[in-house]
Amino acid sequence: MQSLTNFVDWLFGADAQPVIFSAVVFICAIIVGSVLAAWISRGTVRSVLAQRDHETKAAAIGTLIDAATEASVWNSLTPAEQVLSDRAVGQADIQLRLLPVKSSGIAANWAANQLAELKRTSATFGYQLEPALIEFRDRLIDWQNKPNRARKVFQADLDRWKLQSSSSDKAVLAEQDAWVAQQHHDKYTAPVAAPEFTPLAPTPARQLPSTYPANPSNPSTETQQLLDDVNALEVRGSEPLTRP
């Protein structure tokens, strides 16, 4: 009890004021430093996450724009190219929906509807799809820059398409898509005719003479004269030399 009384007397005494003041300042400095460090770390993490989301959004939008270009010439693609394009679109759609943006789902639905429309019209109106591609690109870029304003435009388009499409129209479009898909499948699965082989005419064998002349023809006169001169020179060279 006496120790507690002494501590209280020291705490409220004049000698303890500098120590208490230093301790309070030290504790406040630690608290303020911790708060500032947490605030700076939070800002850094948020900027890193925002940059990552921006890059993911840009990559997804780029993939969708490239897929729209392929969808405008959908019937001219091979089945393997169509499968690769659909896989890329599926991955971009998932990335777009997983973004921490409120309007990402609406943008993904709008892009999917537009891509389906481009594929459907590529069979007959492929040469008229350039304005639609430009509009598709500009809408997605506008959504990337101003998602709140673009969300209203996307939602208005989705509501309008929902009102315009009835059950009968959906059935007709489904039959049209099935017919186009069947035609495309038959185009790339038709058997290729083998080239005709024309046999070459046999070449007649060259016949050699069965007999040859026994004696060759007589040499010419000039050749015979040359041989006689050579023989005469040999005879002269073999005779002994005699002095007169």
Side-chain angles (χ1 to χ4, degrees):
M1 191 65 183
Q2 185 66 32
S3 300
L4 181 60
T5 303
N6 294 334
F7 176 75
V8 172
D9 293 339
W10 174 83
L11 183 63
F12 291 99
D15 297 336
Q17 295 299 323
V19 178
I20 295 174
F21 179 77
S22 300
V24 170
V25 171
F26 180 73
I27 294 173
C28 291
I30 292 176
I31 294 174
V32 172
S34 301
V35 171
L36 288 176
W39 181 70
I40 294 173
S41 301
R42 182 182 179 184
T44 303
V45 171
R46 290 183 63 181
S47 62
V48 171
L49 293 177
Q51 180 66 24
R52 181 178 177 276
D53 293 339
H54 180 76
E55 293 176 355
T56 304
K57 185 190 298 184
I61 290 175
T63 304
L64 290 175
I65 293 174
D66 184 67
T69 305
E70 294 180 350
S72 63
V73 290
W74 187 252
N75 288 330
S76 62
L77 300 178
T78 62
E81 292 174 344
Q82 290 182 353
V83 171
L84 293 177
S85 178
D86 286 337
R87 290 183 60 184
V89 171
Q91 293 178 358
D93 183 81
I94 293 174
Q95 291 178 355
L96 201 63
R97 294 180 186 276
L98 293 179
L99 288 174
V101 182
K102 187 176 181 181
S103 58
S104 60
I106 298 175
N109 294 333
W110 182 86
N113 194 296
Q114 286 291 94
L115 289 175
E117 187 66 24
L118 288 173
K119 291 179 183 179
R120 186 177 298 112
T121 55
S122 65
T124 53
F125 302 102
Y127 60 92
Q128 298 178 355
L129 293 180
E130 185 176 359
L133 288 175
I134 296 175
E135 182 182 2
F136 183 82
R137 180 198 62 191
D138 294 341
R139 289 283 190 88
L140 288 179
I141 293 176
D142 184 62
W143 174 76
Q144 181 184 10
N145 298 328
K146 300 177 181 179
N148 293 328
R149 187 179 68 178
R151 179 179 62 86
K152 299 179 181 179
V153 179
F154 288 165
Q155 188 63 47
D157 290 341
L158 291 174
D159 295 339
R160 177 170 53 85
W161 293 334
K162 186 177 181 180
L163 293 175
Q164 291 178 355
S165 60
S166 60
S167 59
S168 59
D169 294 338
K170 291 181 180 179
V172 172
L173 292 177
E175 293 178 359
Q176 180 182 355
D177 294 342
W179 181 81
V180 172
Q182 184 63 34
Q183 294 295 324
H184 185 270
H185 181 269
D186 296 341
K187 176 182 177 181
Y188 285 95
T189 57
V192 180
E196 296 182 357
F197 176 75
T198 304
L200 299 176
T203 304
R206 184 178 179 182
Q207 297 181 355
L208 298 176
S210 58
T211 58
Y212 292 91
N215 296 323
S217 59
N218 294 328
S220 61
T221 306
E222 296 179 356
T223 304
Q224 186 63 36
Q225 183 66 32
L226 180 60
L227 293 175
D228 294 340
D229 294 340
V230 171
N231 292 331
L233 290 175
E234 291 179 354
V235 172
R236 290 180 182 179
S238 60
E239 292 179 356
L241 297 176
T242 57
R243 291 184 178 181

Coordinates of all heavy atoms in Angstrom, one line a residue, residues 134-205:
I134 N -16.8 -0.9 -86.0 CA -16.3 0.4 -85.5 C -17.2 0.8 -84.3 O -16.7 1.2 -83.2 CB -16.4 1.5 -86.6 CG1 -15.4 1.1 -87.7 CG2 -16.0 2.8 -86.0 CD1 -15.4 2.1 -88.8
E135 N -18.5 0.6 -84.4 CA -19.4 0.9 -83.2 C -19.1 0.0 -82.0 O -19.1 0.5 -80.9 CB -20.8 0.8 -83.6 CG -21.8 1.2 -82.5 CD -23.2 1.0 -83.0 OE1 -23.5 0.5 -84.1 OE2 -24.1 1.3 -82.2
F136 N -18.9 -1.3 -82.3 CA -18.6 -2.2 -81.2 C -17.3 -1.8 -80.5 O -17.2 -1.8 -79.3 CB -18.4 -3.6 -81.8 CG -18.2 -4.7 -80.8 CD1 -19.2 -5.3 -80.1 CD2 -16.9 -5.1 -80.6 CE1 -19.0 -6.3 -79.2 CE2 -16.6 -6.1 -79.7 CZ -17.7 -6.7 -79.0
R137 N -16.3 -1.4 -81.3 CA -15.0 -1.0 -80.7 C -15.1 0.3 -79.9 O -14.7 0.4 -78.7 CB -14.0 -0.8 -81.8 CG -12.6 -0.4 -81.3 CD -11.8 0.2 -82.5 NE -12.5 1.4 -83.0 CZ -12.1 2.0 -84.2 NH1 -11.2 1.5 -84.9 NH2 -12.8 3.1 -84.6
D138 N -15.8 1.3 -80.4 CA -16.0 2.5 -79.7 C -16.8 2.4 -78.4 O -16.5 3.0 -77.4 CB -16.6 3.6 -80.7 CG -15.7 3.9 -81.9 OD1 -14.5 3.6 -81.8 OD2 -16.3 4.4 -82.9
R139 N -17.8 1.5 -78.5 CA -18.6 1.4 -77.3 C -17.8 0.7 -76.1 O -17.9 1.2 -75.0 CB -19.8 0.5 -77.6 CG -20.9 1.1 -78.5 CD -21.7 2.1 -77.7 NE -22.9 2.5 -78.5 CZ -24.0 1.9 -78.5 NH1 -24.2 0.8 -77.8 NH2 -25.0 2.4 -79.2
L140 N -17.0 -0.3 -76.4 CA -16.2 -0.9 -75.4 C -15.1 0.0 -74.9 O -14.9 0.0 -73.7 CB -15.6 -2.2 -76.0 CG -16.6 -3.4 -76.2 CD1 -15.8 -4.6 -76.8 CD2 -17.3 -3.8 -74.9
I141 N -14.5 0.8 -75.7 CA -13.5 1.7 -75.3 C -14.2 2.8 -74.4 O -13.6 3.2 -73.4 CB -12.8 2.3 -76.5 CG1 -11.9 1.3 -77.2 CG2 -11.9 3.5 -76.0 CD1 -11.2 1.7 -78.4
D142 N -15.3 3.3 -74.8 CA -16.0 4.2 -74.0 C -16.4 3.7 -72.6 O -16.4 4.4 -71.6 CB -17.3 4.7 -74.7 CG -18.0 5.8 -74.0 OD1 -17.4 6.9 -73.8 OD2 -19.2 5.6 -73.6
W143 N -16.8 2.4 -72.6 CA -17.1 1.7 -71.3 C -15.8 1.6 -70.4 O -15.9 1.8 -69.2 CB -17.7 0.4 -71.5 CG -17.9 -0.4 -70.3 CD1 -18.8 -0.3 -69.3 CD2 -17.0 -1.5 -69.8 NE1 -18.7 -1.1 -68.3 CE2 -17.6 -1.9 -68.5 CE3 -15.9 -2.1 -70.3 CZ2 -17.0 -2.9 -67.8 CZ3 -15.3 -3.1 -69.5 CH2 -15.9 -3.5 -68.3
Q144 N -14.7 1.4 -71.0 CA -13.4 1.3 -70.3 C -13.1 2.7 -69.6 O -12.7 2.7 -68.5 CB -12.3 0.9 -71.2 CG -11.0 0.8 -70.4 CD -9.8 0.4 -71.4 OE1 -10.0 0.4 -72.6 NE2 -8.7 0.1 -70.8
N145 N -13.4 3.7 -70.4 CA -13.0 5.1 -69.8 C -14.1 5.6 -68.9 O -13.8 6.2 -67.8 CB -12.8 6.1 -71.0 CG -11.7 5.6 -71.9 OD1 -10.7 5.1 -71.4 ND2 -11.8 5.9 -73.2
K146 N -15.4 5.4 -69.2 CA -16.5 5.9 -68.4 C -17.5 4.8 -68.2 O -18.5 4.7 -68.9 CB -17.1 7.1 -69.1 CG -16.1 8.3 -69.3 CD -16.8 9.4 -70.0 CE -15.8 10.6 -70.3 NZ -16.4 11.7 -71.0
P147 N -17.3 3.9 -67.3 CA -18.1 2.7 -67.1 C -19.6 3.1 -66.7 O -20.5 2.4 -67.1 CB -17.4 1.9 -66.1 CG -16.5 2.8 -65.3 CD -16.1 3.9 -66.3
N148 N -19.7 4.1 -65.9 CA -21.1 4.4 -65.4 C -22.0 4.9 -66.5 O -23.1 4.5 -66.6 CB -21.0 5.5 -64.3 CG -20.3 4.9 -63.0 OD1 -20.4 3.7 -62.7 ND2 -19.6 5.7 -62.3
R149 N -21.4 5.8 -67.4 CA -22.2 6.3 -68.5 C -22.5 5.2 -69.5 O -23.6 5.1 -70.0 CB -21.5 7.5 -69.1 CG -22.4 8.2 -70.1 CD -21.7 9.4 -70.7 NE -20.5 9.0 -71.6 CZ -19.8 9.8 -72.2 NH1 -20.0 11.1 -72.1 NH2 -18.8 9.4 -73.0
A150 N -21.5 4.4 -69.8 CA -21.7 3.4 -70.8 C -22.6 2.3 -70.3 O -23.3 1.6 -71.1 CB -20.3 2.7 -71.2
R151 N -22.7 2.1 -69.0 CA -23.6 1.1 -68.4 C -25.1 1.4 -68.8 O -25.8 0.5 -69.1 CB -23.4 1.0 -66.9 CG -24.3 0.0 -66.2 CD -24.1 0.0 -64.8 NE -24.3 1.3 -64.1 CZ -25.6 1.6 -63.7 NH1 -26.6 0.8 -63.8 NH2 -25.7 2.8 -63.2
K152 N -25.4 2.6 -68.7 CA -26.8 3.0 -69.1 C -27.1 2.7 -70.5 O -28.2 2.3 -70.9 CB -27.0 4.5 -68.8 CG -26.8 4.8 -67.3 CD -27.0 6.3 -67.1 CE -26.8 6.7 -65.6 NZ -27.0 8.1 -65.3
V153 N -26.1 3.0 -71.4 CA -26.3 2.7 -72.8 C -26.4 1.2 -73.1 O -27.3 0.8 -73.9 CB -25.2 3.3 -73.6 CG1 -25.3 3.1 -75.1 CG2 -25.1 4.8 -73.4
F154 N -25.6 0.5 -72.5 CA -25.7 -1.0 -72.6 C -27.0 -1.6 -72.1 O -27.6 -2.4 -72.8 CB -24.5 -1.7 -71.9 CG -23.2 -1.4 -72.5 CD1 -22.0 -1.7 -71.8 CD2 -23.1 -1.0 -73.8 CE1 -20.8 -1.5 -72.4 CE2 -21.8 -0.8 -74.4 CZ -20.7 -1.0 -73.7
Q155 N -27.4 -1.1 -71.0 CA -28.7 -1.6 -70.4 C -29.9 -1.2 -71.3 O -30.8 -2.0 -71.5 CB -28.9 -1.0 -69.0 CG -30.1 -1.6 -68.3 CD -29.9 -3.1 -68.0 OE1 -28.9 -3.5 -67.6 NE2 -31.0 -3.8 -68.3
A156 N -29.8 0.0 -71.9 CA -30.9 0.4 -72.8 C -30.9 -0.5 -74.1 O -32.0 -0.9 -74.5 CB -30.7 1.9 -73.2
D157 N -29.7 -0.8 -74.6 CA -29.7 -1.7 -75.8 C -30.2 -3.1 -75.4 O -31.0 -3.7 -76.2 CB -28.3 -1.8 -76.3 CG -27.8 -0.5 -76.9 OD1 -28.7 0.3 -77.3 OD2 -26.6 -0.3 -77.1
L158 N -29.8 -3.6 -74.2 CA -30.3 -4.9 -73.8 C -31.8 -5.0 -73.7 O -32.5 -5.9 -74.1 CB -29.6 -5.4 -72.6 CG -28.1 -5.7 -72.7 CD1 -27.5 -5.9 -71.3 CD2 -27.9 -6.9 -73.6
D159 N -32.4 -3.9 -73.1 CA -33.8 -3.9 -72.9 C -34.5 -3.8 -74.2 O -35.6 -4.4 -74.4 CB -34.2 -2.7 -72.0 CG -33.7 -2.8 -70.6 OD1 -33.4 -4.0 -70.2 OD2 -33.5 -1.8 -69.9
R160 N -34.0 -3.0 -75.1 CA -34.6 -2.9 -76.5 C -34.6 -4.2 -77.2 O -35.5 -4.6 -77.9 CB -33.9 -1.8 -77.2 CG -34.4 -1.6 -78.7 CD -33.8 -0.3 -79.3 NE -32.3 -0.3 -79.1 CZ -31.5 -0.9 -80.0 NH1 -32.0 -1.5 -81.1 NH2 -30.2 -0.8 -79.9
W161 N -33.4 -4.9 -77.2 CA -33.3 -6.2 -77.9 C -34.3 -7.2 -77.2 O -34.8 -8.0 -77.9 CB -31.9 -6.7 -77.8 CG -31.0 -5.8 -78.6 CD1 -31.2 -5.1 -79.7 CD2 -29.6 -5.7 -78.3 NE1 -30.1 -4.4 -80.1 CE2 -29.1 -4.8 -79.3 CE3 -28.7 -6.2 -77.4 CZ2 -27.7 -4.4 -79.4 CZ3 -27.3 -5.8 -77.5 CH2 -26.9 -4.9 -78.4
K162 N -34.5 -7.1 -76.0 CA -35.4 -8.1 -75.3 C -36.8 -7.8 -75.7 O -37.6 -8.8 -75.8 CB -35.2 -7.9 -73.8 CG -36.0 -8.9 -73.0 CD -35.7 -8.8 -71.5 CE -36.4 -9.8 -70.7 NZ -36.2 -9.7 -69.2
L163 N -37.2 -6.6 -75.9 CA -38.6 -6.3 -76.3 C -38.8 -6.7 -77.8 O -39.9 -7.1 -78.2 CB -38.9 -4.8 -76.1 CG -38.9 -4.4 -74.6 CD1 -39.1 -2.8 -74.6 CD2 -40.1 -5.1 -73.9
Q164 N -37.8 -6.5 -78.6 CA -37.9 -6.7 -80.0 C -37.9 -8.2 -80.4 O -38.6 -8.6 -81.3 CB -36.8 -6.0 -80.8 CG -36.9 -4.5 -80.8 CD -35.7 -3.9 -81.6 OE1 -34.8 -4.6 -82.0 NE2 -35.8 -2.6 -81.7
S165 N -37.2 -9.0 -79.6 CA -37.1 -10.4 -79.9 C -38.3 -11.2 -79.2 O -38.4 -11.2 -78.0 CB -35.8 -11.0 -79.4 OG -35.7 -10.8 -78.0
S166 N -39.1 -11.8 -80.0 CA -40.2 -12.6 -79.5 C -39.8 -14.1 -79.6 O -38.7 -14.5 -80.1 CB -41.5 -12.4 -80.3 OG -41.3 -12.7 -81.7
S167 N -40.7 -15.0 -79.2 CA -40.4 -16.4 -79.3 C -40.3 -16.9 -80.7 O -39.5 -17.8 -81.0 CB -41.5 -17.2 -78.5 OG -42.8 -16.9 -79.0
S168 N -41.2 -16.4 -81.6 CA -41.2 -16.8 -83.0 C -39.9 -16.4 -83.6 O -39.3 -17.1 -84.4 CB -42.4 -16.3 -83.7 OG -42.4 -14.9 -83.7
D169 N -39.5 -15.1 -83.3 CA -38.2 -14.7 -83.9 C -37.0 -15.5 -83.4 O -36.1 -15.8 -84.2 CB -38.0 -13.2 -83.6 CG -39.1 -12.3 -84.2 OD1 -39.7 -12.7 -85.2 OD2 -39.3 -11.2 -83.7
K170 N -37.0 -15.9 -82.2 CA -35.9 -16.7 -81.7 C -35.9 -18.0 -82.4 O -34.8 -18.6 -82.7 CB -36.1 -16.9 -80.2 CG -35.9 -15.6 -79.4 CD -36.0 -15.9 -77.9 CE -35.8 -14.6 -77.1 NZ -36.0 -14.8 -75.6
A171 N -37.1 -18.6 -82.7 CA -37.1 -19.9 -83.3 C -36.6 -19.8 -84.8 O -35.8 -20.6 -85.2 CB -38.5 -20.5 -83.3
V172 N -37.0 -18.7 -85.4 CA -36.5 -18.5 -86.8 C -35.0 -18.3 -86.8 O -34.2 -18.8 -87.7 CB -37.2 -17.3 -87.5 CG1 -36.6 -17.0 -88.8 CG2 -38.7 -17.6 -87.6
L173 N -34.5 -17.5 -85.9 CA -33.0 -17.3 -85.8 C -32.3 -18.5 -85.5 O -31.2 -18.8 -86.0 CB -32.7 -16.2 -84.8 CG -33.2 -14.7 -85.2 CD1 -32.9 -13.8 -84.0 CD2 -32.6 -14.2 -86.4
A174 N -32.8 -19.3 -84.6 CA -32.2 -20.6 -84.3 C -32.1 -21.5 -85.5 O -31.1 -22.2 -85.8 CB -32.9 -21.3 -83.1
E175 N -33.2 -21.6 -86.3 CA -33.2 -22.4 -87.5 C -32.2 -21.9 -88.5 O -31.5 -22.6 -89.2 CB -34.6 -22.4 -88.1 CG -35.6 -23.2 -87.3 CD -37.0 -23.2 -87.9 OE1 -37.1 -22.5 -89.0 OE2 -37.9 -23.8 -87.3
Q176 N -32.1 -20.5 -88.6 CA -31.1 -19.9 -89.6 C -29.7 -20.3 -89.1 O -28.9 -20.6 -90.0 CB -31.4 -18.4 -89.6 CG -30.4 -17.7 -90.6 CD -30.6 -16.2 -90.5 OE1 -31.5 -15.7 -89.9 NE2 -29.7 -15.5 -91.2
D177 N -29.4 -20.1 -87.9 CA -28.1 -20.4 -87.4 C -27.8 -21.9 -87.6 O -26.6 -22.2 -88.0 CB -28.0 -20.1 -85.9 CG -28.1 -18.6 -85.6 OD1 -27.9 -17.8 -86.6 OD2 -28.4 -18.2 -84.5
A178 N -28.7 -22.8 -87.4 CA -28.5 -24.2 -87.6 C -28.2 -24.5 -89.1 O -27.3 -25.3 -89.4 CB -29.6 -25.0 -87.1
W179 N -29.0 -23.9 -90.0 CA -28.8 -24.1 -91.4 C -27.4 -23.6 -91.8 O -26.7 -24.2 -92.6 CB -29.9 -23.4 -92.2 CG -29.7 -23.6 -93.7 CD1 -30.1 -24.6 -94.4 CD2 -29.1 -22.6 -94.6 NE1 -29.8 -24.4 -95.7 CE2 -29.2 -23.2 -95.9 CE3 -28.6 -21.4 -94.4 CZ2 -28.7 -22.6 -97.0 CZ3 -28.1 -20.7 -95.6 CH2 -28.2 -21.3 -96.8
V180 N -27.0 -22.4 -91.4 CA -25.7 -21.8 -91.7 C -24.6 -22.7 -91.2 O -23.6 -23.0 -91.9 CB -25.6 -20.4 -91.2 CG1 -24.1 -19.9 -91.4 CG2 -26.5 -19.5 -91.9
A181 N -24.7 -23.2 -90.0 CA -23.7 -24.1 -89.4 C -23.6 -25.4 -90.2 O -22.5 -25.9 -90.4 CB -24.0 -24.4 -87.9
Q182 N -24.7 -25.9 -90.6 CA -24.7 -27.2 -91.4 C -24.0 -27.0 -92.8 O -23.2 -27.8 -93.2 CB -26.1 -27.7 -91.6 CG -26.2 -29.0 -92.3 CD -25.5 -30.1 -91.5 OE1 -25.6 -30.1 -90.3 NE2 -24.9 -31.1 -92.2
Q183 N -24.3 -25.8 -93.4 CA -23.7 -25.5 -94.7 C -22.2 -25.4 -94.5 O -21.4 -25.8 -95.4 CB -24.3 -24.2 -95.3 CG -25.8 -24.4 -95.7 CD -26.0 -25.3 -96.8 OE1 -25.2 -25.4 -97.7 NE2 -27.1 -26.1 -96.8
H184 N -21.8 -24.7 -93.5 CA -20.4 -24.5 -93.2 C -19.7 -25.9 -92.9 O -18.6 -26.1 -93.4 CB -20.2 -23.6 -92.0 CG -18.8 -23.2 -91.8 ND1 -18.0 -23.9 -90.9 CD2 -18.0 -22.2 -92.2 CE1 -16.8 -23.4 -90.8 NE2 -16.7 -22.4 -91.6
H185 N -20.4 -26.7 -92.2 CA -19.8 -28.0 -91.9 C -19.7 -28.9 -93.2 O -18.7 -29.5 -93.4 CB -20.7 -28.7 -90.9 CG -20.2 -30.1 -90.5 ND1 -20.5 -31.3 -91.1 CD2 -19.3 -30.5 -89.5 CE1 -19.9 -32.3 -90.6 NE2 -19.2 -31.8 -89.6
D186 N -20.7 -28.8 -94.0 CA -20.6 -29.6 -95.3 C -19.5 -29.1 -96.2 O -18.9 -29.8 -97.0 CB -22.0 -29.6 -96.0 CG -23.1 -30.2 -95.2 OD1 -22.7 -31.1 -94.3 OD2 -24.3 -30.0 -95.4
K187 N -19.3 -27.8 -96.1 CA -18.3 -27.2 -97.0 C -16.9 -27.7 -96.7 O -16.1 -27.9 -97.6 CB -18.4 -25.6 -96.9 CG -17.3 -24.9 -97.6 CD -17.4 -23.4 -97.4 CE -16.3 -22.7 -98.1 NZ -16.3 -21.2 -97.9
Y188 N -16.6 -27.8 -95.4 CA -15.3 -28.2 -95.0 C -15.1 -29.7 -94.7 O -14.0 -30.2 -94.5 CB -14.8 -27.5 -93.7 CG -14.5 -26.0 -94.0 CD1 -15.5 -25.0 -93.9 CD2 -13.2 -25.6 -94.5 CE1 -15.2 -23.7 -94.1 CE2 -12.9 -24.3 -94.7 CZ -13.9 -23.3 -94.5 OH -13.6 -22.0 -94.8
T189 N -16.2 -30.5 -94.8 CA -16.1 -31.9 -94.6 C -16.4 -32.7 -95.9 O -16.5 -33.9 -95.9 CB -17.1 -32.4 -93.5 OG1 -18.4 -32.0 -93.9 CG2 -16.7 -31.8 -92.2
A190 N -16.6 -32.0 -97.0 CA -16.9 -32.7 -98.3 C -15.6 -33.5 -98.7 O -14.5 -33.0 -98.6 CB -17.3 -31.7 -99.4
P191 N -15.8 -34.7 -99.2 CA -14.6 -35.5 -99.7 C -14.0 -34.9 -100.9 O -14.6 -34.4 -101.8 CB -15.2 -36.9 -100.0 CG -16.6 -36.6 -100.3 CD -17.0 -35.5 -99.4
V192 N -12.7 -34.9 -100.9 CA -11.9 -34.3 -102.0 C -11.7 -35.4 -103.0 O -11.2 -36.5 -102.7 CB -10.6 -33.8 -101.5 CG1 -9.8 -33.2 -102.7 CG2 -10.8 -32.7 -100.5
A193 N -12.1 -35.2 -104.3 CA -11.9 -36.1 -105.4 C -10.4 -36.3 -105.7 O -9.7 -35.4 -105.8 CB -12.6 -35.7 -106.6
A194 N -10.1 -37.6 -105.8 CA -8.7 -37.9 -106.1 C -8.4 -37.6 -107.6 O -9.2 -37.8 -108.5 CB -8.4 -39.4 -105.9
P195 N -7.2 -37.1 -107.9 CA -6.9 -36.8 -109.3 C -6.8 -38.1 -110.2 O -6.3 -39.1 -109.7 CB -5.5 -36.1 -109.2 CG -5.0 -36.6 -107.9 CD -6.1 -36.8 -107.0
E196 N -7.3 -38.0 -111.4 CA -7.3 -39.1 -112.3 C -5.8 -39.4 -112.8 O -5.1 -38.4 -113.0 CB -8.2 -38.8 -113.5 CG -9.6 -38.7 -113.1 CD -10.5 -38.5 -114.4 OE1 -9.9 -38.4 -115.5 OE2 -11.7 -38.4 -114.2
F197 N -5.5 -40.7 -112.9 CA -4.2 -41.1 -113.3 C -4.2 -41.6 -114.7 O -5.0 -42.6 -115.0 CB -3.6 -42.1 -112.3 CG -2.3 -42.6 -112.8 CD1 -1.1 -41.9 -112.6 CD2 -2.1 -43.9 -113.3 CE1 0.1 -42.4 -113.0 CE2 -0.9 -44.4 -113.7 CZ 0.2 -43.6 -113.6
T198 N -3.5 -41.0 -115.6 CA -3.5 -41.5 -117.0 C -2.2 -42.2 -117.2 O -1.1 -41.6 -117.1 CB -3.6 -40.3 -117.9 OG1 -4.8 -39.6 -117.6 CG2 -3.6 -40.7 -119.4
P199 N -2.2 -43.5 -117.6 CA -0.9 -44.2 -117.8 C -0.3 -43.7 -119.1 O -0.9 -43.4 -120.1 CB -1.4 -45.7 -117.9 CG -2.8 -45.6 -118.4 CD -3.4 -44.3 -117.7
L200 N 1.0 -43.7 -119.0 CA 1.8 -43.2 -120.2 C 2.0 -44.4 -121.2 O 2.0 -45.6 -120.8 CB 3.2 -42.8 -119.7 CG 3.2 -41.6 -118.7 CD1 4.7 -41.3 -118.3 CD2 2.6 -40.4 -119.4
A201 N 2.0 -44.0 -122.5 CA 2.2 -45.0 -123.5 C 3.6 -45.6 -123.5 O 4.5 -44.9 -123.2 CB 1.9 -44.4 -124.9
P202 N 3.7 -46.9 -123.6 CA 5.0 -47.5 -123.6 C 5.9 -47.1 -124.7 O 5.5 -46.9 -125.9 CB 4.7 -49.0 -123.7 CG 3.4 -49.1 -124.3 CD 2.6 -47.9 -123.9
T203 N 7.2 -46.8 -124.4 CA 8.1 -46.4 -125.4 C 8.7 -47.6 -126.1 O 9.2 -48.5 -125.4 CB 9.2 -45.6 -124.8 OG1 8.6 -44.5 -124.1 CG2 10.2 -45.0 -125.8
P204 N 8.7 -47.7 -127.5 CA 9.3 -48.9 -128.1 C 10.8 -49.0 -127.9 O 11.5 -48.0 -127.9 CB 8.9 -48.6 -129.6 CG 8.7 -47.1 -129.7 CD 8.2 -46.7 -128.4
A205 N 11.2 -50.2 -127.7 CA 12.6 -50.4 -127.4 C 13.4 -50.3 -128.7 O 13.0 -50.6 -129.8 CB 12.8 -51.8 -126.9

